[in-house]
Amino acid sequence: VSTQSTGGHNSHTGSEEDVGDLFSDCFWEIKGFKQVVKRIDDGASLTDHLGQLMQERADLELKYAKGLKTWSRKWEDAIAKGPEYGSLEQAMKCLTVEANETADIHLDVRQKLTGSSLESIKHWKNSNYQKTFVKWKQTAAAQEGFEKVQRPWAKRFLKVEKAKKAYHLAARTLEQVKGQLDILEKDVSTTSDALKKVKDKLSKAETENDKTKDKYRDRLNELDMANQQYINEMTVEFEKCQAMEKIRIEFFVETLRDYLGYVDVSKDARLTNSFQNIQYGLNEMTIEEDLKKYADQKGTGMAMNWPKFMEYDDVNHSMPMGNLQMRDNNSNQGYDDNRSNKAGSAGANPFNGFDDMDSEWGDQNAYVAHPPQAVEVRVRAMFDYEGAEADELSFKEGEILIQLDEEDENGWCRGLLNGVEGLYPGSYVEVMK
């Protein structure tokens, strides 16, 4: 602060009551510390913003995790029930496992953000900002400290402003009187009395000019003598605010480092393992083996009892059942290739000799019940049949059955005999007309 800086205050009235009205962006001038004090209020607001930032990110983590969970459940079920098979099916299941693991990781991130980070922010703010009736206690303390230091300096400053104004007024008056005297002296009609009055006025103006000028210099000297103490004391108050701001910045940096550690999931072993499992599943796929397995169980590798001449069996009246497929022992609803050889009448059942199939392919030809037929269909047994399973009907040649479902692709029908519902081979009966 120097005496020259006061030259920019031509608009100041110089009244001590006007201290509160004077404002400048320069820290050293009256009320120039307001921006420093406002920074304390800004720090409290920024702390709230940091908490909001954490909360919104936590909400996003939760939303993302829920989306992954939903996606994982949907496709886990779709893959399990779908037609995909073999090692490719297992590789695709790894995708849903990875999504579920990733969802758990992001739920953990959300928990850390809403738990550790938000609680830490809340605790720090409560420890560093205490609310008074109208403002933060720390803001009020800083403002009071600056005002206390600045008040005596501001009074001297205003005295300088007042003395400057008085001197400038006296100097302007002196110039005006000199101008009047110069005009009168050039006018030959000017009387001696008029000339004397202006000269007396000039003498007074010169005296007032010298007086106000000396007073102005004295006020400036007084201000200059107070400037160094003012600078030192204002610096002390400013450093208090700097120390407070340093604490805030250090806390924010620490919080952001924690935040980075929470949201950076790239180092989480669960995520790494999930991706490795997917890669392993793809690398370990046995494409040729899967195709051969399918051919053996669904295609050209399947065993077939080709039709051959058979003598008429007077006891069982049995006959070959063509393409009738074996049913799943564990289901009342369908059939598949897992069925072991039926053990009905020895030599009468044409399925003896079928190889067991892996259950993995079993549900592809599953029996699907058809809705009841609108018109009752009666069928007559052309041959004796002894049911090999609990859900199969046994009947003698000539017995009448009620057919409930159309014959399925595997050659089986569902019917009713003597009030008992069950399955029977369609090739053993004929529709009655």
Side-chain angles (χ1 to χ4, degrees):
V1 178
S2 64
T3 55
Q4 286 75 15
S5 67
T6 62
H9 294 278
N10 294 329
S11 61
H12 297 170
T13 63
S15 171
E16 293 185 10
E17 288 77 14
D18 294 329
V19 174
D21 297 330
L22 300 178
F23 177 79
S24 171
D25 289 336
C26 178
F27 169 76
W28 299 106
E29 297 189 12
I30 296 175
K31 298 296 182 181
F33 58 80
K34 280 188 174 182
Q35 293 298 322
V36 179
V37 173
K38 182 178 180 297
R39 185 175 63 169
I40 299 175
D41 286 336
D42 291 342
S45 298
L46 290 170
T47 304
D48 292 336
H49 291 168
L50 182 63
Q52 293 171 9
L53 179 148
M54 296 293 180
Q55 182 62 62
E56 290 181 11
R57 178 57 187 263
D59 293 342
L60 288 174
E61 294 289 338
L62 177 61
K63 185 177 180 180
Y64 180 52
K66 285 183 176 180
L68 284 176
K69 289 281 188 181
T70 301
W71 183 88
S72 178
R73 286 193 297 269
K74 171 186 174 182
W75 287 104
E76 181 181 14
D77 185 64
I79 293 171
K81 295 180 179 179
E84 193 54 81
Y85 61 92
S87 56
L88 180 56
E89 179 185 6
Q90 299 305 316
M92 293 184 69
K93 286 181 178 179
C94 290
L95 302 181
T96 65
V97 174
E98 177 275 325
N100 195 59
E101 287 287 345
T102 302
D104 289 338
I105 292 172
H106 285 277
L107 287 175
D108 290 345
V109 172
R110 184 246 183 188
Q111 179 61 37
K112 291 174 182 177
L113 291 174
T114 56
S116 301
S117 291
L118 286 179
E119 287 300 320
S120 176
I121 292 171
K122 181 179 180 181
H123 176 74
W124 185 86
K125 183 180 178 183
N126 291 337
S127 300
N128 290 272
Y129 294 93
Q130 291 81 44
K131 195 74 172 179
T132 62
F133 183 70
V134 293
K135 61 177 67 174
W136 296 109
K137 179 179 178 181
Q138 286 72 19
T139 303
Q143 182 171 336
E144 181 180 349
F146 282 121
E147 289 178 345
K148 182 178 180 181
V149 170
Q150 196 173 77
R151 192 173 295 115
W153 183 87
K155 289 181 178 179
R156 291 186 177 91
F157 175 80
L158 291 175
K159 288 179 180 179
V160 170
E161 289 293 299
K162 184 177 180 180
K164 181 181 70 173
K165 184 177 181 180
Y167 165 63
H168 289 175
L169 179 61
R172 186 166 57 251
T173 302
L174 178 60
E175 289 180 355
Q176 292 174 349
V177 174
K178 285 181 177 179
Q180 292 176 1
L181 180 59
D182 185 59
I183 293 173
L184 290 176
E185 288 178 340
K186 293 178 180 179
D187 189 352
V188 295
S189 62
T190 302
T191 63
S192 58
D193 289 338
L195 191 60
K196 182 176 182 303
K197 286 181 179 181
V198 174
K199 288 182 178 181
D200 290 341
K201 188 176 181 180
L202 176 62
S203 177
K204 290 180 180 180
E206 289 174 341
T207 301
E208 183 65 19
N209 181 72
D210 293 340
K211 179 181 176 181
T212 55
K213 185 176 183 179
D214 291 340
K215 189 173 184 179
Y216 180 32
R217 291 185 181 280
D218 291 341
R219 296 302 187 202
L220 281 174
N221 290 333
E222 291 174 1
L223 186 64
D224 283 340
M225 293 176 62
N227 280 345
Q228 190 56 54
Q229 181 180 354
Y230 172 65
I231 292 172
N232 294 340
E233 293 178 353
M234 286 290 283
T235 300
V236 170
E237 297 300 320
F238 180 75
E239 289 302 326
K240 291 179 183 179
C241 296
Q242 287 286 80
M244 185 182 304
E245 178 66 3
K246 181 180 179 182
I247 292 174
R248 183 191 73 83
I249 294 175
E250 289 176 343
F251 172 74
F252 272 48
V253 171
E254 180 182 354
T255 302
L256 293 178
R257 290 187 188 279
D258 291 340
Y259 168 86
L260 180 60
Y262 297 152
V263 301
D264 181 9
V265 299
S266 61
K267 299 178 182 178
D268 194 297
R270 292 172 295 176
L271 189 63
T272 303
N273 291 338
S274 294
F275 288 129
Q276 288 178 346
N277 288 338
I278 295 175
Q279 188 62 48
Y280 178 81
L282 294 174
N283 293 339
E284 296 299 315
M285 282 189 61
T286 55
I287 299 176
E288 296 299 329
E289 181 179 337
D290 290 345
L291 293 174
K292 183 179 184 304
K293 192 174 185 180
Y294 184 87
D296 290 343
Q297 299 181 357
K298 296 294 182 182
T300 57
M302 294 182 68
M304 174 62 180
N305 286 337
W306 300 104
K308 54 187 176 181
F309 181 81
M310 298 179 65
E311 291 290 347
Y312 179 72
D313 190 333
D314 291 332
V315 178
N316 294 315
H317 304 294
S318 62
M319 67 170 288
M321 291 186 287
N323 292 326
L324 183 65
Q325 300 293 312
M326 306 307 290
R327 300 185 300 109
D328 186 356
N329 295 333
N330 299 320
S331 171
N332 292 329
Q333 296 296 322
Y335 318 91
D336 66 12
D337 305 308
N338 297 328
R339 163 107 182 206
S340 60
N341 296 336
K342 278 187 175 262
S345 301
N349 194 319
F351 286 87
N352 290 333
F354 269 34
D355 295 333
D356 289 343
M357 305 297 182
D358 289 345
S359 60
E360 180 177 353
W361 315 102
D363 61 350
Q364 299 303 310
N365 289 322
Y367 172 87
V368 179
H370 300 285
Q373 301 178 89
V375 179
E376 183 178 277
V377 178
R378 292 177 176 271
V379 296
R380 178 186 291 109
M382 297 187 295
F383 311 98
D384 293 347
Y385 179 74
E386 183 70 25
E389 303 291 345
D391 59 347
E392 295 179 7
L393 296 175
S394 298
F395 48 79
K396 300 293 185 182
E397 179 183 358
E399 285 193 275
I400 306 302
L401 297 81
I402 298 176
Q403 181 176 304
L404 302 178
D405 291 333
E406 295 287 344
E407 182 177 327
D408 69 10
E409 61 183 6
N410 295 320
W412 291 89
C413 298
R414 182 176 294 277
L416 193 65
L417 175 63
N418 299 326
V420 178
E421 182 178 330
L423 301 173
Y424 62 88
S427 58
Y428 273 61
V429 300
E430 64 179 353
V431 178
M432 297 178 60
K433 297 182 181 180

